[in-house]
Each structure stands twice: as C-alpha cells, then as structure tokens.
Amino acid sequence: MSAPLPPRLTLCLLLAAPAFALAQSSPGDDDATLPSVLVSASKAGRSVMQTPASVNVLGGDAIEQAHLETLGEVAQQLPNVYLTNFTRSTPSLTIRGLGFSDDESDSTSTSVMLDGVPIYSMVLGQLFDLEQLEVLRGPQSTLYGQSSMGGVVALRSRDPGRILGGNAQLDIGSGQRRRASLAMDVPLGEKSAVRIAAGGESADGFIDNPRLGRSDTGGWDSAFARIKLLHRDDAGGTWRLGLHHANMRGGNDYFAAAPDAREHRSQAGDAGTNNVKYTLLSGEYARALAGNTRLAVTAGASQSEWNYWLPRSTFQARTGYDMKNVQWSLEARLSGGEGRLDWLAGVFGAHITRDSPYDFDSMPYYLSGTTAGVKGSSAAAFGELGWKLAPAWRLAGALRLQHDRRKLDWSSRQAGLFDSDGDGMPDTPFDATTVVNDAKARDTVALPRLTLEFTPDGAQFGWLTVARGYKASGFNLYATAPDAAGTAYRPEYGNHVELGYRLRGERRAWELAATVYHTRLRDQQVTVTDTNGQSRIDNAGRSHSQGLELTGLLRPAPTLTLNAFAAIAHAEYDEYRKGAVDYAGQQFANTPRHSVGAGLQWQPAPQWELGATVTRQGKSNLYPASTTVNPAYTMSNAHLDYHAGKWTLGVYGNNLADARYFTRALANNIVVASAPRTWGVRARRAF
C-alpha cells in the first residue's frame, strides 16, 4: 500500500507559498515583450506556456554560465529529475522514479534527442554549444514511442549566424581542470551559413588513491566538435545538417567502500578504463506548404562506443566490456489547421545494432565471457486531431501505432575450476560454451493520448492529460545462462493521468506552475541481482509513480529574477516479490521522495551578472539490490561574470557546501562518490 500523499502535498505548498505571496504583491517592472521560448520536443512549435506537459527549458547561455556540463549536473537543478552514474560522462537520468535500470536494459525510460535524432544517452558525455535543453516529464510515448516512459530530453545545438564572428573561451579550475573551446559562424551567402564549434578538456579528478600514490583518480581527457549548416531554399524551406562528435577518455578507479568514498579515497590497484565516444549525423527540413500545412522531416544516424573496464582489484578479476551502438532514424510529419480544427500526422522508422559483450576473468579459477548482438527495428504511424470546443477550450485526441522487433544472437563461455572432492579447494577444470541464435521479441502496441486544454487568456493555461506509456520488451544481454538470455522480459506499460496549470502576472512579472500526476505501471522493468551476484532485468508485477511539481518565478526588477521549485515523487512497488524478498511498499531506487530548490539571476550593473542556486534532495536508496542509503543533501552553486566590451571574465563554484553523497552502488556496496566542492575561472572573447 502507498503512503498518503496529502501531507507531502501540504509541505510542498507551504514551501512554495512565499514565492506565491511575493508574486502576488510585487508585479514587477519587466518588459512585456519578453520573447516566448518554443518547445521543440512537443513537435507542435508551442511556447513553454502553451505546452500541455510538465516541462523545463534551459537556455544554452544559462547552462554555460552555471557551469552545467553534463546531463547529470542539469538533473540536480530540476524537479523530480535525478541521476545515477558511474562517471560524470555516463549519466542515467531518473525522471519521476523511472530510469534507474536503463544501463542494464535493452531500451531506456527516457528518450534523449540531439537535434531531433535519438542518441544513446549513456555516451552523451559533455554538453557543448547548445541553444537550449528541454526536459518533458511524464510518458511521451504517443510522440516518441517505446523509450519515453519517464519523459524526453531534447538538446538543440546552436544555429549558424548570418554575421561572420564567434568566440573563444578558456576555463581553469580545481582538480587541474583545463578547458578551451572555440565557436565561429561563417556566412556562405544570403541564404546559407555554417557554424563550427570545437574544444577539449582535461582534469585530474577529485579522488586520492594512496595505494597507487595518485591524486588524479577519476581524471579525464575529452575532445568535442560540431559543424552545422543552415540553408534556406527558394521554396521557403529550411535545411539543417549537423555532424557532432565527442570523445572522452578516463580511468575507472574511483569505486570504493563507503567510508573511503565519503573521504574521496580509493584503494584500487590499477586505473581501469572508462572511455566513451559518439559521432552523430543529423538532418532536418521544414517548409510551409499550401493550405496552411507544414512539412517537417528529421533524419539521422549515430555510432557510439563505451569501453568500460573496472580495476582488477575491485573484484579480483578483469571485468568489463567494449559496447558499440549504431542506430539510424527517420521521421516525417505534416501538420495544419483550419477553423476550429488542427491536426498532425506522421510516420517513423528506426534501426539499431548493439554489440554488448561482458567479460569476468579471474582465471585459473573462473572465467565468464558473454557476447550479445542485438538488432532492433521500429516502425510507427502517429497522429493528433485537435478541436476547439469553445474560445477557451481545446480537446485533442492522439494515437500512435508502433511495431518493435528485437533479435538476439548470444554466446557464453563458462570456464575455470570446481571443487570435485569437497575439500574446499577448486581442483577440476571445466569449460563449456552455450549459444542462443535468432531469439526474437516483438511488440505491436497502440498508444493513445487525450488532452483537454483550458486557455482563458494569454496569462493562464491548464491541461488534463490521459495517456498510455510503453517500454519495449528486450533481452538480458549480460546473462550467463541460455534460458535467461534467450527469454525476453515483457514490455512495460503505464496508464498516466496528469493535471497542470500555469499562470503569470501582468507584464510577466511573475510566473507559477503546478502539476499533479499519477502513473500506474504494469510489468515494470527493474534491475535485480541474482544469487550469483549478477544483475539482470526482471518484470515487477504492479507499481506506481505519483506526485507533483511546483515552480515559481518572480521578476521584482528588470535586473533581478528569482525562481523556486518543490517536488514530490512517491514511486513504489505495489505487487512484486523476488525470491524471499517482498518489495511491496519500497520506493524505487535513485528516487528521492522530495526535492526543493531556489535560485536567482541578478545584474546589479550592466557589466556584472550574478547567479546562484540551492537545491535539496531527499534521501534515497542506491541500486535495487543495495542496502546503501543516500542521505539527504544540499547542493549550492554560484557564478559571477564581468562583461567589458568583447571580453567576459567569470568565476564559478559548484557544491560550495561540499555535500557528500553517492551516485552509484554495486551489489557488494562498493559505491561511487559525488564530486566535492569545485571552482574555476574563465575568460571569453567575442570576435
């Protein structure tokens, strides 16, 4: 049974009350012509105000100023968005409690898109040269299909400018961090331009290893680059072509027992390897057609690789993998409207090839070597029909029909010594290889959504959404037995209802938003650890995620913006027993029950700009089979920038209170520590 929601709801309302009172009593003096920010992930070109979903949009400049360089660091600043990660370059997001098992699963709970093209989020690494980053919470399966039960993260790179110019930036910070980047716009004529962005970073990390006499444990070197072409043709169409690449190389010797991890120490006997890289090609075409109809086509492909090898001392064995992913996708859609009706129709296709081996080598005693090759494809048709019932009311029905297929080829070699005479000493060799070929999993699903919108005026917007979410079936790629590998786990479904309301004051001096949601899950895909210590995907019987998000923004003066949020995520198993363990009533892993935050942006003089945020995350459990509890912690970040002509000089600090917490735990309670207090200075020159 779930705990009652009202006490937590009352707490969050009390936390948000000061912001609400300020907003009502201080209308502010802001410019009424503030530009509207469009949400590309909604596929409708709507502003944040008019998007019927709980959404956050962060501008690229704000991300850079706040020194948020990974998805994990962004997650710390948003309501009901959390992270679990092995390293700063491989974050796995948890939205409203969904996503903690993504690194083990054949699919993900959150779709991550770069310029409209899906990318395997675990290799995304550093963020750079973005126009904006959007996070939509709640199932988005009607628009995005099988990998969006938790939500969608959409990244948009900066478009090329029409004037020759750019900027160069140099950052130097704690942990011997050094980062240099360059971006430049090059016009190619009246209708074309190209933008080139590139850079690199190196750092020593933040963990000491007295065993190896090193203070650079967890360090990294990275390089990133992007070239993007923008062209407007004679027919009024807009072309965007992009080539994106990032490569991050580092060690893997930061796992430690909790006492050492809290002090940022490691006793690993060697460095290990943790390298991630990707190359992504994106293409977009948009054009207005006759009859108030618009065409949008998005196509792309990506190739990614993750080389992950633990130090041999962690398990007294060589353990890890070299995983490769190749995927491509194509989507085309038409939209239009006339009178009281509007509509959208589209088709989608995708293909993915994944090579997922895993080795555990402690020979001569034991060797487990598996290879798993997965080929998957998706095909879908989707559409939406909207009807304006009355001047303030719109009813929209949407449906997606999707077919997903997976095919697995798998083999496993198990070798070593076993105790044949019972004296406790392994003495007899064994060596066996098993194979599974052409195992198949297929899902054909209908994903409906019904939304009722209320827009009494330009300063208010409310919505009620009922939708179905879905996460495809798949295979346990790292299983060591043929029955476990060849038997697909079931698809995950969620019935979702969400009620939200936004309002803002005169001249946009204040803004408030509230969202209440409930998602009832069936056959939720969760990570469990078996008696041999192996983790794999299992299906929980029934579970749910419910809660709320409150956000507020106040502009008491043109130069000052205050914001705050409060959130609850009550995500529990209802019917799930594995062996002797009954998980009913247990909160999902990596899901704080509550989070709150506040921030400010202040420009006391034209040359100066100050930003600061404070967030509080409630306690949570790490990893499903771990008893490690992450205590509640508070994060505080700040930055100060000075502008002088074409120069910008800045200083920043993250985790200023030096909060100690963990970001991951293994089955034997070995954990990964969070980053400590970090600081840096930067210089930027425009040209």
Side-chain angles (χ1 to χ4, degrees):
M1 297 293 292
S2 62
L5 185 61
R8 293 170 173 79
L9 173 60
T10 303
L11 173 62
C12 278
L13 289 173
L14 290 172
L15 290 168
F20 181 80
L22 285 171
Q24 293 287 351
S25 61
S26 304
D29 195 24
D30 198 23
D31 186 356
T33 63
L34 285 172
S36 295
V37 177
L38 300 183
V39 181
S40 64
S42 68
K43 300 186 180 180
R46 290 187 171 195
S47 67
V48 174
M49 183 71 178
Q50 300 290 324
T51 298
S54 181
V55 58
N56 285 100
V57 179
L58 285 74
D61 290 339
I63 291 173
E64 291 178 0
Q65 289 173 342
H67 189 59
L68 304 176
E69 293 189 343
T70 69
L71 283 182
E73 291 168 345
V74 170
Q76 298 275 21
Q77 308 298 313
L78 303 178
N80 277 343
V81 183
Y82 200 62
L83 80 153
T84 170
N85 64 347
F86 290 112
T87 69
R88 69 189 304 272
S89 63
T90 55
S92 178
L93 296 185
T94 302
I95 299 180
R96 294 177 173 176
L98 303 179
F100 61 85
S101 62
D102 283 359
D103 58 337
E104 298 282 351
S105 178
D106 198 7
S107 58
T108 61
S109 297
T110 300
S111 293
V112 177
M113 323 292 291
L114 178 54
D115 284 353
V117 178
I119 183 172
Y120 183 56
S121 62
M122 294 291 286
V123 299
L124 187 61
Q126 294 175 314
L127 308 176
F128 67 97
D129 201 46
L130 295 180
E131 180 65 31
Q132 67 184 36
L133 185 154
E134 308 163 14
V135 178
L136 275 68
R137 285 175 287 271
Q140 306 296 323
S141 299
T142 306
L143 287 177
Y144 288 93
Q146 64 95 4
S147 291
S148 53
M149 178 72 83
V152 168
V153 176
L155 299 89
R156 302 292 304 180
S157 64
R158 285 194 172 98
D159 278 347
R162 297 185 179 182
I163 300 174
L164 180 65
N167 63 78
Q169 181 166 311
L170 177 65
D171 292 19
I172 300 174
S174 54
Q176 297 295 314
R177 179 180 177 273
R178 300 167 297 278
R179 178 186 174 104
S181 60
L182 174 70
M184 188 170 184
D185 296 322
V186 182
L188 302 179
E190 293 184 358
K191 297 184 177 181
S192 302
V194 67
R195 181 174 179 84
I196 302 170
E201 177 177 299
S202 65
D204 283 352
F206 48 82
I207 295 178
D208 294 328
N209 188 327
R211 182 175 177 181
L212 297 179
R214 295 174 53 195
S215 60
D216 60 350
T217 294
W220 66 88
D221 291 284
S222 66
F224 45 88
R226 175 180 296 122
I227 181 169
K228 186 175 184 181
L229 171 69
L230 174 66
H231 174 70
R232 292 180 172 85
D233 60 31
D234 294 336
T238 301
W239 298 81
R240 291 177 172 86
L241 300 175
L243 180 62
H244 321 251
H245 178 75
N247 187 357
M248 187 166 181
R249 305 179 64 84
N252 212 7
D253 49 339
Y254 35 76
F255 286 93
D260 275 335
R262 289 191 184 280
E263 300 302 320
H264 295 106
R265 289 194 304 262
S266 168
Q267 303 293 335
D270 55 283
T273 302
N274 197 342
N275 302 333
V276 294
K277 64 180 178 181
Y278 71 85
T279 300
L280 183 143
L281 177 66
S282 63
E284 299 176 86
Y285 180 70
R287 178 184 169 187
L289 305 177
N292 198 28
T293 302
R294 291 194 61 83
L295 169 68
V297 179
T298 303
S302 68
Q303 177 174 299
S304 60
E305 185 173 342
W306 187 4
N307 309 120
Y308 182 82
W309 294 93
L310 287 172
R312 189 177 183 89
S313 57
T314 304
F315 294 111
Q316 303 305 312
R318 184 177 185 270
T319 308
Y321 51 80
D322 294 319
M323 182 174 64
K324 297 180 180 179
N325 291 273
V326 177
Q327 57 183 338
W328 61 260
S329 64
L330 171 66
E331 180 180 284
R333 61 185 186 272
L334 290 168
S335 60
E338 186 174 352
R340 300 171 67 177
L341 296 177
D342 60 86
W343 57 273
L344 178 148
V347 293
F348 172 83
H351 181 80
I352 183 171
T353 301
R354 177 172 297 171
D355 183 14
S356 299
Y358 192 89
D359 288 337
F360 185 95
D361 184 357
S362 62
M363 290 296 279
Y365 302 106
Y366 181 63
L367 167 68
S368 175
T370 62
T371 62
V374 173
K375 292 183 178 180
S377 62
S378 299
F382 59 94
E384 180 180 88
L385 180 63
W387 176 31
K388 198 151 190 178
L389 301 168
W393 294 89
R394 176 180 179 266
L395 180 66
L399 178 65
R400 185 184 187 97
L401 300 176
Q402 177 143 340
H403 180 69
D404 293 306
R405 295 188 299 172
R406 287 284 196 276
K407 184 177 79 70
L408 172 72
D409 291 319
W410 172 94
S411 68
S412 176
R413 181 190 175 201
Q414 305 294 309
L417 299 174
F418 72 94
D419 181 11
S420 61
D421 54 13
D423 64 355
M425 295 294 293
D427 52 20
T428 303
F430 68 94
D431 195 328
T433 298
T434 52
V435 176
V436 173
N437 286 325
D438 206 27
K440 292 183 174 67
R442 294 184 176 90
D443 306 312
T444 300
V445 295
L447 303 169
R449 184 185 67 192
L450 185 66
T451 302
L452 180 64
E453 301 174 5
F454 177 60
T455 314
D457 53 49
Q460 299 182 70
F461 180 75
W463 72 94
L464 172 64
T465 296
V466 180
R468 192 186 195 203
Y470 153 71
K471 188 176 179 183
S473 58
F475 296 98
N476 279 293
L477 307 181
Y478 308 119
T480 58
D483 55 342
T487 303
Y489 47 80
R490 297 185 297 275
E492 172 185 318
Y493 295 101
N495 294 322
H496 175 73
V497 60
E498 181 171 299
L499 176 66
Y501 206 86
R502 297 188 184 96
L503 66 161
R504 61 190 183 198
E506 184 180 355
R507 300 165 69 181
R508 296 173 66 176
W510 56 268
E511 300 176 15
L512 290 172
T515 306
V516 180
Y517 67 91
H518 179 91
T519 305
R520 178 65 61 179
L521 299 161
R522 176 167 61 88
D523 290 332
Q524 181 187 1
Q525 295 171 12
V526 297
T527 305
V528 296
T529 303
D530 61 23
T531 55
N532 296 322
Q534 277 200 324
S535 57
R536 60 184 181 86
I537 298 297
D538 190 32
N539 290 102
R542 296 186 181 274
S543 49
H544 72 272
S545 173
Q546 65 184 18
L548 61 90
E549 291 115 16
L550 300 171
T551 60
L553 185 147
L554 172 65
R555 300 183 180 96
T559 59
L560 178 62
T561 300
L562 307 174
N563 61 76
F565 74 80
I568 288 172
H570 203 263
E572 292 183 349
Y573 302 106
D574 297 317
E575 299 175 6
Y576 180 42
R577 178 184 292 273
K578 193 65 181 175
V581 181
D582 186 356
Y583 290 93
Q586 180 174 315
Q587 181 87 346
F588 299 166
N590 301 300
T591 308
R593 289 185 180 271
H594 68 270
S595 58
V596 295
L600 67 85
Q601 289 290 122
W602 183 35
Q603 194 172 7
Q607 304 95 324
W608 292 94
E609 184 173 352
L610 171 67
T613 61
V614 178
T615 59
R616 175 76 172 177
Q617 301 284 354
K619 73 174 183 179
S620 61
N621 290 332
L622 288 172
Y623 209 72
S626 173
T627 58
T628 303
V629 175
N630 225 9
Y633 63 90
T634 301
M635 291 283 291
S636 52
N637 303 338
H639 70 268
L640 177 66
D641 291 315
Y642 175 75
H643 307 279
K646 295 184 177 182
W647 284 93
T648 299
L649 304 176
V651 59
Y652 57 85
N654 288 355
N655 193 13
L656 295 175
D658 201 22
R660 304 294 175 96
Y661 61 98
F662 306 132
T663 63
R664 191 71 176 189
L666 298 184
N668 55 358
N669 286 326
I670 293 177
V671 299
V672 178
S674 65
R677 180 190 300 114
T678 58
W679 59 268
V681 296
R682 59 188 167 211
R684 181 186 179 104
R685 164 76 177 181
F687 56 84

